[in-house]
């Protein structure tokens, strides 16, 4: 039985059972009300300031010179503290880089992610979605997460990097093992650290080979652009492209999967009026997709390290302290969202922090929006009914959340 916290004392954010079967939202509600900036020093991992209100979270994200990403954006549990080799990404992709290096690094590929550049990918995304949904239509019963919500974003991210199609499934599996590292179902071995180390070695080993090919023969893909990039007057080492490849894979897959499944399909099934409204009027898709991301808030926490003393919400913090902002909490802050626990596909405005804010604002935001729009457009055009045929299951994680299984029956029109 999992504890649903009732008081501040009951809250332990290392309790992953709470994230799987309990309600972390109960914890965030208590914290927002009673102690929005709270020193969390519970058994299970490193101590950190836990930040739950929208305004405070935005302040942290908007000030990268005080709140640094360079020592890791994921909180470290006891297991990772005891096994640092398994926790640390050896190379620093842009998401783990602070100013002044961060923006020039981001600019090596950011022109590929503008709304105009992404709009050109629509036909390609639609064709992956069509292939995937044609298979689902043949089978009728599917695991919406593995068969649809995960496969479509994986195809896009890997194709942008120029990874050949026969490697997509394996790399998507490795990404699960690396990002969702506390979920035993994704381990290749019995032990978390062996599985994680093997996954990282295989994934980065593969990307290293691919990048070496791009060094010898550059193409049009994202990795070739990093290989040819320069930051602050220095050419980038080829390892930088390997680091960015890992980030693009990790950044784009589990997040878009969580938004489509936990944020989209599941709440649509439990709110049939909203599903009906969306099916009847596909022009609601852009606002629906924004609500999917607010609802799921796939990146559950973003950790930072203080480079100097600072005050947030009247609480004094010291240089060297670690902190985490909880985006599902910020995105249900009553002070910013009227009726925040209502799933509303027409919610406007909907300025959530699901894609973060400021310096590290998600580079893939337009790609994620278009992927989710096309995925649901094709789903609603092709199928006339959607039924749950088993229990939805949550991923065991307090970092990138979402569902791992959503068994469904889809009935074609
Ligand atoms: C619904 C889907 C997505 C969500 C919710 C999401 C969320 C986020 C968040 C919260 C951050 C900031 C993390 C931090 O500040 O520490 C971020 C950064 C990033 N995301 Fe996304 N993301 C999504 C999809 C994608 C996609 C499809 C891609 C590309 C294939 C992508 C690539 C990136 C990259 C490269 C960064 C780092 C940007 C930087 O450091 O400047 N994301 N994303």
């Amino acid at each position: 039985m999992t504890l649903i916290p009732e008081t501040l004392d009951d809250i332990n954010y290392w309790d992953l059972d709470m994230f799987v079967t309990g309600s972390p939202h109960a914890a965030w509600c208590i914290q927002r009300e009673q102690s929005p900036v709270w020193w969390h020093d519970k058994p299970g991992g490193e101590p950190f300031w836990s930040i739950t209100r929208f305004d405070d979270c935005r302040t942290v994200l908007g000030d990268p010179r005080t709140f640094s990403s360079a020592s890791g954006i994921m909180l470290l549990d006891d297991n990772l503290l005891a096994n640092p080799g398994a926790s640390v990404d050896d190379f620093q992709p842009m998401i783990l880089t602070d100013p002044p290096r961060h923006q020039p690094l981001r600019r090596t590929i950011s022109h590929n992610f503008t709304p105009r550049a992404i709009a050109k990918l629509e036909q390609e995304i639609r064709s992956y979605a069509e292939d995937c949904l044609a298979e689902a239509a043949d089978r009728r019963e599917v695991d919406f997460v593995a068969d649809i919500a995960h496969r479509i974003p994986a195809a896009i991210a890997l194709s942008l990097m120029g990874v050949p199609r026969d490697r997509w499934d394996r790399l998507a599996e490795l990404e699960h093992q690396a990002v969702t590292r506390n979920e035993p179902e994704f381990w290749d071995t019995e032990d978390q650290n062996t599985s994680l180390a093997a996954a990282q070695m295989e994934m980065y080993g593969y990307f290293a080979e691919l990048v070496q090919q791009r060094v010898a023969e550059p193409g049009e893909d994202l990795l070739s652009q990093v290989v040819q990039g320069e930051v602050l007057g220095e050419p980038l080492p080829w390892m930088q492209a390997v680091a960015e490849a890992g980030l693009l894979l990790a950044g784009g897959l589990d997040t878009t999967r969580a938004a489509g499944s936990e944020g989209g399909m599941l709440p649509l099934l439990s709110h049939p009026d909203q599903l009906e409204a969306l099916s009847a009027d596909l022009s609601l898709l852009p606002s629906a997709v924004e609500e999917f991301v607010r609802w799921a808030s796939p990146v559950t926490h973003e950790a930072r390290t203080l480079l100097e003393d600072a005050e947030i919400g009247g609480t004094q913090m010291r240089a060297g302290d670690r902190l985490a902002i909880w985006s599902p909490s910020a995105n249900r802050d009553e002070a910013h969202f009227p009726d925040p626990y209502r799933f509303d596909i027409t919610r406007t405005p909907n300025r959530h922090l699901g894609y973060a804010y400021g310096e590290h604002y998600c580079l893939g935001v337009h790609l994620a929006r278009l992927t989710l729009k096309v995925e649901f457009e094709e789903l609603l055009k092709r199928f006339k009914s959607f039924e749950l045929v088993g229990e939805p299951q949550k991923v065991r994680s307090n970092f990138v959340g979402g569902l791992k299984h959503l068994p469904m029956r889809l009935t074609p029109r």
Side-chain angles (χ1 to χ4, degrees):
M1 259 288 279
T2 304
L3 179 83
I4 295 187
E6 289 176 1
T7 68
L8 206 56
D9 273 353
D10 296 336
I11 301 174
N12 181 350
Y13 290 116
W14 300 114
D15 174 8
L16 297 186
D17 286 345
M18 175 173 81
F19 286 86
V20 178
T21 58
S23 172
H25 283 289
W28 290 318
C29 268
I30 296 169
Q31 223 212 289
R32 273 200 311 277
E33 210 180 287
Q34 297 179 17
S35 192
V37 178
W38 178 51
W39 183 240
H40 180 278
D41 192 5
K42 296 289 176 94
E46 62 177 334
F48 63 95
W49 292 103
S50 170
I51 309 220
T52 45
R53 284 195 182 156
F54 185 97
D55 286 340
D56 296 338
C57 293
R58 194 171 51 183
T59 301
V60 169
L61 295 172
D63 182 1
R65 287 189 161 77
T66 306
F67 304 104
S68 160
S69 298
S71 304
I73 61 159
M74 192 181 83
L75 289 167
L76 297 177
D77 63 23
D78 280 345
N79 179 49
L80 291 175
L81 286 168
N83 297 283
S87 74
V88 174
D89 300 275
D90 288 334
F91 336 106
Q92 301 289 294
M94 69 179 93
I95 205 165
L96 299 178
T97 306
D98 292 334
R101 188 176 162 78
H102 170 258
Q103 284 299 336
L105 186 53
R106 182 171 160 123
R107 277 197 295 273
T108 57
I109 54 169
S110 58
H111 55 281
N112 300 280
F113 290 90
T114 60
R116 188 189 288 217
I118 292 300
K120 293 191 189 139
L121 298 175
E122 177 156 350
Q123 200 35 52
E124 194 180 339
I125 299 175
R126 202 171 292 282
S127 109
Y128 295 134
E130 280 167 356
D131 288 355
C132 193
L133 298 186
E135 278 178 39
D138 287 344
R139 276 190 285 145
R140 303 269 177 112
E141 293 215 350
V142 294
D143 180 346
F144 183 79
V145 177
D147 299 333
I148 297 172
H150 188 76
R151 276 184 64 199
I152 300 171
I156 308 300
L158 290 161
S159 130
L160 282 176
M161 286 190 269
V163 174
R165 208 171 183 135
D166 61 351
R167 303 303 286 263
W168 291 359
D169 286 348
R170 179 63 186 152
L171 282 165
E173 248 174 52
L174 294 171
E175 184 264 348
H176 263 332
Q177 289 167 26
V179 175
T180 320
R181 43 188 83 181
N182 287 307
E183 172 53 65
E185 192 179 313
F186 299 146
W187 300 347
D188 259 357
T189 62
E190 299 243 312
D191 166 70
Q192 176 180 353
N193 289 323
T194 321
S195 168
L196 176 58
Q200 286 185 329
M201 210 131 87
E202 187 179 336
M203 186 171 87
Y204 286 121
Y206 173 72
F207 283 133
E209 259 175 50
L210 192 69
V211 168
Q212 286 296 350
Q213 288 167 21
R214 301 295 185 258
V215 171
E217 213 177 309
E220 302 290 307
D221 57 276
L222 292 177
L223 301 185
S224 298
Q225 293 171 23
V226 181
V227 163
Q228 295 171 85
E230 257 194 21
V231 166
L232 305 176
E234 298 281 325
L236 286 172
W238 66 273
M239 287 301 279
Q240 188 68 47
V242 176
E244 302 304 346
L247 168 62
L248 288 165
L249 188 64
L253 263 63
D254 282 359
T255 48
T256 316
R257 177 212 68 200
S261 55
E262 191 181 19
M265 187 49 86
L266 186 61
L268 285 173
L269 291 172
S270 56
H271 297 77
D273 57 320
Q274 307 253 330
L275 178 55
E276 205 177 299
L278 190 57
S279 310
D281 181 2
L282 294 179
S283 73
L284 292 174
L285 270 166
S287 66
V289 161
E290 229 38 54
E291 184 70 343
F292 296 174
V293 175
R294 184 189 76 93
W295 196 252
S297 297
V299 183
T300 315
H301 75 253
E302 284 130 83
R304 299 288 190 262
T305 307
L306 269 83
L307 295 181
E308 50 192 67
D309 294 358
E311 191 192 294
I312 294 269
T315 303
Q316 190 63 41
M317 299 180 277
R318 301 242 160 252
D321 289 352
R322 291 272 286 162
L323 65 75
I325 65 130
W326 297 102
S327 63
S329 173
N331 290 340
R332 282 178 177 72
D333 185 336
E334 299 74 3
H336 264 264
F337 299 94
D339 207 353
Y341 290 88
R342 188 163 51 91
F343 175 72
D344 177 2
I345 58 166
T346 62
R347 186 180 286 277
T348 323
N350 194 355
R351 286 189 208 95
H352 57 76
L353 298 180
Y355 294 110
Y357 172 78
E359 185 81 11
H360 293 277
Y361 184 64
C362 177
L363 181 64
V365 56
H366 303 295
L367 178 57
R369 284 183 180 142
L370 184 62
T371 305
L372 289 164
K373 178 179 140 316
V374 169
E375 181 179 315
F376 278 80
E377 210 162 58
E378 291 302 316
L379 271 164
L380 296 169
K381 279 197 220 154
R382 188 181 279 262
F383 299 101
K384 65 174 183 226
S385 79
F386 303 87
E387 278 165 86
L388 201 57
V389 293
E391 272 300 300
Q393 288 178 40
K394 289 267 301 172
V395 160
R396 192 175 169 75
S397 172
N398 66 11
F399 180 46
V400 178
L403 298 174
K404 60 177 176 173
H405 300 298
L406 185 60
M408 288 183 62
R409 185 174 304 122
L410 308 178
T411 311
R413 289 193 185 274

